[in-house]
Amino acid sequence: INTDAQALAKSLAPNILNIGQATTRGLGAGGDPKVGEQACLENYEDVKHICNGADMVFITAGMGGGTGSGAAPVVAEVAKKECGCLTVGVVTKPFAFEGRKRMKQAEEAIEALRKQVDTLIVVSNDKLLRIVPDNTPVTDAFLVADDILRQGVVGISEIIVKTGLVNVDFADVRAVMKDAGTALMGVGTGVGKTRAADAAVAAISSPLLDFPIAEARRIVFNVVGGPDMGLREINSASEVIYENAHEDANIIFGALIDEAMGDEVSITVLACDFREGSTALDVVEQRQKKKAIRTVAGGFTESERSRESGGTASYDEDALWGDEGADVEGGGDRGPLFYKERRQATRSPLGPDATIEETRVAITRGFKMPAKADDPTGGPDAEKGLRKRFRGFFRGVFGKK
């Protein structure tokens, strides 16, 4: 669905809908959410026809512009109220460099969409700056975020569509996601002896999450592995989720065998129903209060600046930050280290030359990268284990404790 006919012409989707042909003449919404809303209302019956007969509807959009911000809440209202579908929104927030007006429009649209959907998942594009290597082309950078969202949507869908070892039906998923409000979605993978537990840890600590799942009252997660995946592995992954969720959480999980997974285990976690006054929401509110200051300062924190300078912040804080109140309003003095520190803060931990595939793997494995095949030593962990064995051998020979 789009107001831009040119963009739709390049779409690979089998079914497309150019909304607002009378309102926009197929030229787009011009970044105005009101135009996007009016365009969608013009094709209200068409949207209703698309949603009719569906049990579950995913609405994906980039917020901040005209079509996504204006049309998404209208589509959600049609899907949920008119057609009775379980409605899930998966949207992205714009980069900070796109300007405050676009960010404000995005936040207003997200609030409007939250009132219309059962569950809403929000991913911030700014988090890509901390993940994607410096030399990654911009098209590939967006593909990383799209792929993570795709894995999450597919993971939720597979719980319902595919019959697994531990089967979950649509009614179970509906019980978790119905009128659940803000949700968090994480995707994790793992290999090796502790692959299932590693995948679970990576999923609940995804770099794309805004806050931990500790206060989630409803959780659904899906474990997918090869034919050799054991019951103990499923149990170890489940323990990680249970130990990190609210003590009274309603948790539903599915387990699926997929031969294409090979030696890898994948886990998708969807956590929702964060009550008011919970620790997680308190953290979010505190972060939102500091958001404007952090955005102006390039999105980096004191600990990150300290880490970049070898553990001690050696510069003058006032020289870097200037007057915080003035910065929030858009006119503070920036110190001489401002831009240098901002560049350092947004460097990827993967280094500048990591490939797009290495980036995807790092995100889903919590940046726990496996040793490269051509590394005869097996990496630093193997060297550490070898040193421990040698020390144990010599202690046994010489009788040292």
Side-chain angles (χ1 to χ4, degrees):
I1 298 177
N2 207 330
T3 56
D4 188 344
Q6 187 176 14
L8 281 175
K10 298 179 181 179
S11 174
L12 299 178
N15 302 303
I16 59 176
L17 175 62
N18 185 194
I19 58 174
Q21 293 186 16
T23 304
T24 68
R25 295 186 297 168
L27 300 176
D32 188 347
K34 292 182 180 179
V35 175
E37 180 183 6
Q38 187 60 39
C40 195
L41 289 173
E42 183 182 319
N43 293 85
Y44 192 90
E45 291 300 322
D46 293 326
V47 174
K48 186 177 178 180
H49 177 72
I50 293 172
C51 297
N52 268 332
D55 293 311
M56 188 173 186
V57 173
F58 287 94
I59 300 173
T60 62
M63 291 307 197
T67 305
S69 300
V74 177
V75 175
E77 182 180 9
V78 173
K80 183 179 179 181
K81 296 182 179 179
E82 295 282 349
C83 303
C85 307
L86 179 64
T87 309
V88 181
V90 185
V91 300
T92 58
K93 294 176 70 174
F95 289 102
F97 62 70
E98 294 183 68
R100 291 178 180 171
K101 180 181 178 181
R102 193 174 181 88
M103 182 64 74
K104 183 179 179 181
Q105 286 185 173
E107 291 173 348
E108 291 173 351
I110 288 171
E111 285 304 312
L113 182 61
R114 183 177 284 112
K115 297 175 182 178
Q116 303 296 341
V117 298
D118 290 294
T119 302
L120 180 62
I121 299 166
V122 181
V123 176
S124 175
N125 280 343
D126 268 336
K127 291 185 180 293
L128 286 176
L129 292 176
R130 298 176 176 273
I131 299 170
V132 177
D134 297 344
N135 295 340
T136 303
V138 65
T139 53
D140 289 345
F142 282 110
L143 284 175
V144 172
D146 290 344
D147 188 63
I148 296 299
L149 296 181
R150 179 196 63 80
Q151 289 182 45
V153 172
V154 169
I156 296 170
S157 303
E158 284 185 343
I159 297 176
I160 306 168
V161 176
K162 292 188 177 181
T163 302
L165 288 176
V166 180
N167 202 40
V168 178
D169 56 31
F170 178 71
D172 294 324
V173 175
R174 190 181 187 93
V176 172
M177 302 181 69
K178 180 69 174 175
D179 296 322
T182 300
L184 299 176
M185 180 177 63
V187 180
T189 59
V191 293
K193 293 182 179 180
T194 59
R195 57 185 182 174
D198 290 344
V201 170
I204 65 175
S205 58
S206 170
L208 297 178
L209 298 182
D210 284 325
F211 51 92
I213 70 168
E215 295 298 322
R217 302 296 181 107
R218 295 187 239 171
I219 295 177
V220 57
F221 69 97
N222 193 30
V223 184
V224 183
D228 62 337
M229 182 173 66
L231 182 61
R232 186 176 295 276
E233 289 183 300
I234 296 176
N235 179 68
S236 63
S238 301
E239 286 178 343
V240 172
I241 305 297
Y242 276 86
E243 289 169 358
N244 286 277
H246 191 277
E247 57 182 4
D248 297 324
N250 175 22
I251 301 179
I252 295 176
F253 84 98
L256 178 67
I257 298 298
D258 185 354
E259 294 184 359
M261 292 297 295
D263 296 330
E264 193 173 54
V265 169
S266 175
I267 295 180
T268 300
V269 178
L270 181 71
C272 43
D273 192 8
F274 294 91
R275 306 291 173 85
E276 291 185 4
S278 67
T279 303
L281 288 181
D282 289 342
V283 171
V284 174
E285 290 175 358
Q286 291 173 7
R287 289 182 179 179
Q288 287 177 341
K289 290 177 182 178
K290 298 177 181 179
K291 181 179 178 182
I293 296 174
R294 293 187 67 190
T295 299
V296 172
F300 59 93
T301 62
E302 169 105 21
S303 61
E304 289 164 336
R305 296 196 304 272
S306 176
R307 183 174 66 248
E308 292 291 342
S309 60
T312 304
S314 58
Y315 48 81
D316 180 65
E317 187 77 10
D318 293 333
L320 174 63
W321 291 88
D323 179 67
E324 289 184 351
D327 273 342
V328 175
E329 296 300 323
D333 294 332
R334 292 180 171 86
L337 298 178
F338 178 85
Y339 294 102
K340 178 181 178 181
E341 291 293 339
R342 182 165 64 181
R343 287 194 300 272
Q344 291 176 340
T346 56
R347 285 177 181 169
S348 170
L350 301 176
D353 300 318
T355 65
I356 194 71
E357 185 59 31
E358 288 173 339
T359 305
R360 286 196 183 103
V361 171
I363 292 173
T364 58
R365 292 185 184 171
F367 291 90
K368 181 181 179 182
M369 298 297 289
K372 293 184 178 180
D374 58 353
D375 186 355
T377 65
D381 291 337
E383 292 179 2
K384 186 184 293 184
L386 192 61
R387 289 196 297 268
K388 284 184 178 180
R389 287 196 293 272
F390 273 117
R391 283 200 298 268
F393 171 76
F394 286 116
R395 282 172 182 165
V397 171
F398 296 106
K400 293 183 179 180
K401 294 184 179 180

